[in-house]
Amino acid sequence: MKVEAITLRELRMPLVSAFETSFGRTTERRILLVTAHCDGADGWGECTAGEHPLYCEESTDTAWYVLREYLAPALAGSPLESAREASSRMPGVRGHRMAKAALENALWDAEAQLRKVPLWKLVGGTRKELAAGVSIGIQQSPEQLLEKIAAELDAGYQRIKVKVKPGWDVAVLERIRARWPEILLSCDANSAYTLDDVEHLKKFDQFGLLMIEQPLWSDEIYLHSLLQHELKTSICLDESILNARHALAAIELKACRILNIKLGRVGGFSEAIRVHDIAQAAGIPVWCGGMLESGVGRSHNLALSTLNGFSLPGDVSASARYWREDIIEPEVTVSPNGTIAVSESPGRGYALRQELIERLTVRRETVRGQASHPAGAHCG
Ligand code: OSB
Ligand code: MG
């Protein structure tokens, strides 16, 4: 397929309710969408970088810059055998995985459309009914959190994950377990603790959690292995797994017993599949993480979740939890038993609400194929 042009656009989308983690609070998303115009098909991808460089180094603005100056010029105008090749065309740019993933995933979508197969089949998926879980942010009070959990359980979600940080952890988990002793429950610290907190973290063991996600530094694997040795609760790594080599290191070091895979964090479908394959070979269950995506990123997450190793409920939940109106049609919905049915249509499987997208767009830029660009020498 030939990549004729690449369009970047930024949308402003207010969240239905603010989302708070140990690193910050989000009320409005700045969604960066990438469209790859290929042989008459438009593939769409979403950059999962946050508004500020808090979850990781990237942000909406750094991703826009890297896409516009380096990645889009390296790929626009060039023929590609398949989307799988895209990442090897971006070798000169170090890091910036979320920017790379937005473009690579748009190409996967275009390829699926051109081949007239659902994206999930193109990536090698087999699951057709996905187990849905929710991630619930830090609330004003424990009572408010309990109310939220009750509503999500009523909606059918199969796993509840709550955000924790020092001062919002053991007492909160105690309240949850007192009311729901049996539910599948996990927590996510987003790197809020250090090894000085080992004794404190051991108290989490009494709650029978499915996992504790990323308790320590975002760039640490080895120290998580020391902590895992001390805990009964399984550690799940999120922030510190940026590629398949990291996954292998974490598994060999016994730094975790579960892995969260996010398309943006690892740089796109190709690397996400490699992480999945390594985990599966080692018998480590994986699940798909979320980054408060619009329907575009959400549909990619669903496609990824169809891979066989995604045996735990993911942070894949209904559009309506995030948006008054999502930009896809139909929106993602969850059945009363907490599952999401996979679409059989070609490509992402969800149509775009073009008019709504236009209305929400605050900036747009198209990069067309050009013979030479300053970045060409590096990006090949
Ligand atoms: O750590 O999984 C995380 C949101 C933003 C940044 C990091 C994380 C999250 C979530 C939300 O937990 C998951 C979702 O519902 O999209
Ligand atoms: Mg996480």
Side-chain angles (χ1 to χ4, degrees), residues 211-281:
M211 67 190 114
I212 173 169
E213 196 179 331
Q214 198 70 38
L216 308 177
W217 300 271
S218 64
D219 58 357
E220 257 306 328
I221 295 175
Y222 171 65
L223 294 180
H224 278 101
S225 77
L226 300 187
L227 178 63
Q228 180 66 91
H229 196 72
E230 300 289 322
L231 299 183
K232 286 202 199 86
T233 308
S234 293
I235 291 177
C236 168
L237 292 179
D238 173 354
E239 281 89 329
S240 43
I241 305 301
L242 304 181
N243 54 46
R245 289 178 292 97
H246 290 173
L248 186 61
I251 291 167
E252 300 229 323
L253 283 168
K254 296 186 168 37
C256 63
R257 300 187 196 120
I258 297 175
L259 280 175
N260 159 326
I261 304 181
K262 288 178 179 169
L263 282 166
R265 195 192 69 223
V266 303
F269 272 110
S270 306
E271 194 67 17
I273 295 166
R274 285 192 277 271
V275 174
H276 162 272
D277 292 350
I278 280 175
Q280 200 177 29

Side-chain angles (χ1 to χ4, degrees), residues 81-245:
E81 263 318 300
S82 67
R84 233 174 241 280
E85 248 181 67
S87 58
S88 65
R89 305 287 189 90
M90 318 176 190
V93 175
R94 186 162 288 166
H96 298 283
R97 292 171 194 83
M98 290 174 170
K100 290 172 177 170
L103 179 50
E104 191 196 304
N105 295 351
L107 293 165
W108 277 92
D109 178 27
E111 183 178 343
Q113 290 178 42
L114 291 168
R115 293 185 192 275
K116 299 188 168 45
V117 294
L119 177 57
W120 62 268
K121 280 195 184 158
L122 185 64
V123 303
T126 50
R127 294 173 181 271
K128 291 186 161 189
E129 226 184 25
L130 309 175
V134 289
S135 171
I136 306 181
I138 292 164
Q139 305 294 313
Q140 306 285 346
S141 65
E143 290 72 29
Q144 204 176 357
L145 177 63
L146 296 182
E147 250 173 66
K148 282 231 168 189
I149 294 172
E152 303 294 11
L153 291 171
D154 272 353
Y157 285 103
Q158 297 185 15
R159 184 225 62 203
I160 302 291
K161 150 177 151 186
V162 296
K163 293 290 187 178
V164 291
K165 65 174 182 181
W168 179 271
D169 50 20
V170 173
V172 171
L173 293 168
E174 225 156 51
R175 295 280 300 268
I176 299 171
R177 271 299 184 224
R179 184 150 161 200
W180 295 284
E182 303 290 343
I183 58 167
L184 212 48
L185 179 66
S186 66
C187 70
D188 185 358
N190 290 110
S191 306
Y193 301 93
T194 73
L195 274 187
D196 292 339
D197 300 313
V198 173
E199 289 311 310
H200 179 69
L201 291 167
K202 279 184 182 173
K203 295 184 196 150
F204 288 36
D205 283 342
Q206 66 187 291
F207 303 115
L209 302 176
L210 175 62
M211 67 190 114
I212 173 169
E213 196 179 331
Q214 198 70 38
L216 308 177
W217 300 271
S218 64
D219 58 357
E220 257 306 328
I221 295 175
Y222 171 65
L223 294 180
H224 278 101
S225 77
L226 300 187
L227 178 63
Q228 180 66 91
H229 196 72
E230 300 289 322
L231 299 183
K232 286 202 199 86
T233 308
S234 293
I235 291 177
C236 168
L237 292 179
D238 173 354
E239 281 89 329
S240 43
I241 305 301
L242 304 181
N243 54 46
R245 289 178 292 97

Side-chain angles (χ1 to χ4, degrees), residues 342-370:
V342 167
S343 167
E344 293 289 340
S345 324
R348 293 175 320 274
Y350 295 83
L352 290 164
R353 297 179 63 186
Q354 297 283 0
E355 272 178 32
L356 178 60
I357 291 175
E358 289 304 324
R359 232 185 315 131
L360 298 172
T361 297
V362 296
R363 62 169 161 163
R364 171 201 338 236
E365 202 164 315
T366 295
V367 178
R368 289 175 204 288
Q370 51 198 124

